[in-house]
Amino acid sequence: MSKNKQIKKVVLAYSGGLDTSAIIPWLKENYNGCEVVAFCADVGQGEEELVGIQEKAIASGASECHVVDLKEEFVKDYIYPIIKTGAVYEGQYLLGTSMARPVIAKAHVEVALKVGADALCHGCTGKGNDQVRFESCFAALAPQLTVIAPWREWDMVSREDLLAYLAERDIPCAASLTKIYSRDANAWHISHEGGELEDPWCEPSKEVWTMTVDPQDAPNTPEKMTLSFEQGELVSVDGKELSPYQALVYLNDKAAAHGVGRIDIVENRLVGMKSRGCYETPGGTVLMAAYKGLETLILDKESLKYRESIGLEFSHVIYDGRWFTPLAKAQLAGAAALAEQVTGDVVVKLYKGQASVIQRRSPNSLYSEEFATFGEDDVYDQKHAEGFIRLFSLSSRIAALKSQNTK
């Protein structure tokens, strides 16, 4: 029996956009009239993207639509642990799209198991990273479920094809041929690709940016924010005790008004090609800067070096979609252990696109003014440095003497 005939019920990751609107009827036509259940993850992409989404799914042919609120879980169980690792992909990207994929995939699988589906479906293209991220998570969580990826099966190749396909079937869709950019939004960030961004020599136009104020137009007066952490987790902002998601919303609003969090990068995709994207991560930029600013006060040199190595490695783990793996679990545990001492307060100044740490304090601080001062002190004998340097550079001294003796 072919795979198409075996599939009776599919759960589709549904966004309400052009691609997934076309996927619903396509599944029913190509998988023996299977039932299609729509699943939509609310990860803080904005209410405007969710308005009427259940009605849209039903109008496209879905039997039902499950909208799952993942906002708090996303921030608390995914963003906060990632911040502890310090992960930044290729030196700039704060992983906004990547870090949302595992929580979405987990909920997708849970809906599929709940409704008794035998297949999962996503609308990722065959060129991108997301197909790998989602399907790697599916494999780790529910390997018994079949995965359907229409973009790797159908012969449609353009927006024109998809619009014509829906029109032939009298299925309503608000999409048009005028869409310029491909965007992905969640509580942490929004990404922009396509349009003029496909030429890396072309400067992004003002129309690209949607979340942050242009730094040139930001207020001429800086604003200060105080972030308080306990064991590596944000517990209050400006004296307000907020839930993880509400804290991020607050940070986003404040930082976006000052143009904080814009980057324009060319990155290496997992599938081998390079892509150019613009990202806006206002609150995340502040949160990461504050955490790292506090961390420098607390972690000793070797501990910080190790945390930095975790961050580098974990940036690739999360970018590549390997959240539900033993490696990710081990790296997260290592970062969490170091974060146990990261308690204290940080003041970040927002000004013209920059988020600068200007004050920090912690009960676990290893900083000692008595030792660090350039003035007179009674705790450090500078004569001791001579012996330390001699031993520290001993291997270099031996190598040089050996080289001289052989000449």
Side-chain angles (χ1 to χ4, degrees):
M1 183 180 293
S2 70
K3 180 177 77 170
N4 293 34
K5 292 187 181 298
Q6 292 173 338
I7 303 302
K8 296 180 180 179
K9 184 181 288 190
V10 185
V11 175
L12 165 67
Y14 180 75
S15 68
L18 178 57
D19 295 20
T20 53
S21 294
I23 287 174
I24 293 176
W26 181 88
L27 284 170
K28 297 171 74 172
E29 291 172 13
N30 290 272
Y31 281 83
N32 200 34
C34 66
E35 180 184 351
V36 180
V37 175
F39 154 73
C40 179
D42 180 1
V43 286
Q45 62 266 47
E47 292 183 4
E48 63 279 3
E49 291 195 27
L50 298 172
V51 172
I53 198 163
Q54 291 172 305
E55 292 78 8
K56 291 179 188 176
I58 302 302
S60 297
S63 61
E64 53 185 300
C65 180
H66 296 251
V67 179
V68 184
D69 187 345
L70 302 173
K71 296 190 293 292
E72 290 290 355
E73 181 182 358
F74 173 41
V75 181
K76 184 178 188 300
D77 296 341
Y78 294 82
I79 291 177
Y80 278 12
I82 291 170
I83 289 171
K84 293 174 187 177
T85 71
V88 179
Y89 184 69
E90 296 188 338
Q92 295 184 80
Y93 176 38
L94 293 180
L95 297 160
T97 297
S98 316
M99 64 172 64
R101 293 333 188 204
V103 70
I104 294 172
K106 176 173 169 286
H108 193 168
V109 167
E110 288 171 349
V111 170
L113 297 177
K114 178 182 176 181
V115 302
D118 39 33
L120 302 160
C121 181
H122 63 73
C124 307
T125 71
K127 286 186 176 182
N129 300 306
D130 279 344
Q131 57 180 335
V132 182
R133 294 167 181 155
F134 282 123
E135 292 183 38
S136 294
C137 290
F138 296 158
L141 298 173
Q144 74 276 17
L145 298 178
T146 298
V147 178
I148 302 172
W151 275 106
R152 303 202 297 256
E153 295 185 30
W154 61 25
D155 56 6
M156 292 183 282
V157 296
S158 66
R159 292 178 64 79
E160 290 89 344
D161 289 344
L162 294 172
L163 287 166
Y165 180 85
L166 291 172
E168 289 171 5
R169 288 153 182 80
D170 292 323
I171 296 174
C173 182
S176 70
L177 294 176
T178 59
K179 180 181 179 183
I180 300 175
Y181 307 106
S182 174
R183 292 186 164 105
D184 178 78
N186 58 49
W188 185 248
H189 91 154
I190 184 169
S191 66
H192 315 276
E193 294 179 326
E196 77 265 25
L197 301 180
E198 293 185 351
D199 178 2
W201 189 247
C202 187
E203 180 183 2
S205 64
K206 284 185 175 292
E207 287 70 34
V208 169
W209 311 101
T210 61
M211 192 176 183
T212 56
V213 169
D214 188 324
Q216 296 180 95
D217 301 326
N220 293 322
T221 302
E223 182 174 2
K224 297 177 183 178
M225 301 188 75
T226 302
L227 289 78
S228 300
F229 295 85
E230 288 183 9
Q231 296 188 324
E233 298 201 355
L234 185 67
V235 292
S236 71
V237 184
D238 291 336
K240 303 179 180 72
E241 294 184 4
L242 302 168
S243 72
Y245 171 69
Q246 290 301 329
L248 183 54
V249 170
Y250 182 81
L251 287 169
N252 278 334
D253 290 344
K254 291 284 189 178
H258 289 271
V260 170
R262 292 186 176 189
I263 63 167
D264 174 359
I265 63 173
V266 174
E267 69 195 68
N268 287 297
R269 284 184 179 174
L270 174 59
V271 294
M273 68 183 73
K274 288 184 181 288
S275 65
R276 195 269 189 97
C278 289
Y279 299 94
E280 298 177 85
T281 319
T285 298
V286 174
L287 188 48
M288 188 68 83
Y291 186 87
K292 290 188 174 182
L294 183 60
E295 195 181 46
T296 60
L297 199 63
I298 295 164
L299 298 185
D300 61 83
K301 183 177 186 296
E302 291 303 316
S303 294
L304 184 57
K305 179 183 175 184
Y306 181 60
R307 203 282 300 143
E308 288 177 330
S309 72
I310 292 176
L312 176 60
E313 292 298 324
F314 196 76
S315 71
H316 290 273
V317 167
I318 189 63
Y319 188 88
D320 296 348
R322 292 179 285 165
W323 180 275
F324 297 106
T325 63
L327 176 59
K329 184 177 181 180
Q331 291 175 337
L332 288 166
L338 293 172
E340 289 176 0
Q341 295 299 308
V342 183
T343 294
D345 307 307
V346 181
V347 176
V348 179
K349 182 170 71 175
L350 312 178
Y351 183 66
K352 298 289 185 181
Q354 299 298 311
S356 307
V357 173
I358 58 172
Q359 294 172 255
R360 68 208 92 187
R361 64 185 178 189
S362 170
N364 301 325
S365 173
L366 297 183
Y367 179 84
S368 171
E369 188 174 350
E370 288 183 313
F371 279 91
T373 180
F374 283 93
E376 183 179 355
D377 66 79
D378 299 320
V379 295
Y380 188 91
D381 188 339
Q382 298 192 32
K383 294 178 182 178
H384 293 165
E386 180 180 355
F388 167 75
I389 295 169
R390 192 171 185 85
L391 291 175
F392 185 74
S393 60
L394 185 58
S395 60
S396 297
R397 184 182 301 276
I398 292 171
L401 289 172
K402 185 174 181 180
S403 176
Q404 291 171 4
N405 290 337
T406 58
K407 290 181 179 179

